[in-house]
Amino acid sequence: MVRERKYSAKRDAILALLRSTKTHPGAQWLYDRLKPQIPDLSLGTVYRNLNLFREAGTACSLGTVNGEERFDGITAPHPHLVCSCCGAVLDLPPEKAEALVQNGKKILAKESFSIDFRKTVFYGLCRDCDSQSVS
Ligand SMILES: [Zn+2]
Ligand SMILES: [Zn+2]
């Protein structure tokens, strides 16, 4: 019983942190920030919980970026921008994302293809990396 409660406290902390950030973190990022608050937390526990969230639909996996699986606490379908230089994963502003989703649906409706924007990823350079490459 006590064990159960301990596990779910960790699970809640991992989920709360995942939902509070826009960085689309991987397990290591979450672990580094939670470890000081939860000294007996292991990286394996973070991985295990992230997999549970993904299976339960509480969070979604964005796939691997720079060798690390990244997660999103926002489960409503929205496209992502991934920087191929630094690995930053960004959300478009909601109204732009919505316009893109609606546009994409309209275009592909003609092909009788229904798209799921959960895994839509645009690769490019983020603002920081782009300005560095210009100068
Ligand atoms: Zn970048
Ligand atoms: Zn996102």
Side-chain angles (χ1 to χ4, degrees), residues 22 24 62 71-74 76 78-80 89-91:
K22 288 185 160 49
H24 304 83
L62 303 175
F71 291 86
D72 196 345
I74 298 167
H78 60 281
H80 287 103
V89 179
L90 310 165
D91 285 335

Side-chain angles (χ1 to χ4, degrees), residues 40-62:
D40 66 333
L41 184 71
S42 73
L43 189 55
T45 301
V46 178
Y47 275 116
R48 205 162 44 242
N49 278 290
L50 287 171
N51 283 327
L52 286 173
F53 297 154
R54 185 185 47 206
E55 279 162 27
T58 320
C60 31
S61 165
L62 303 175

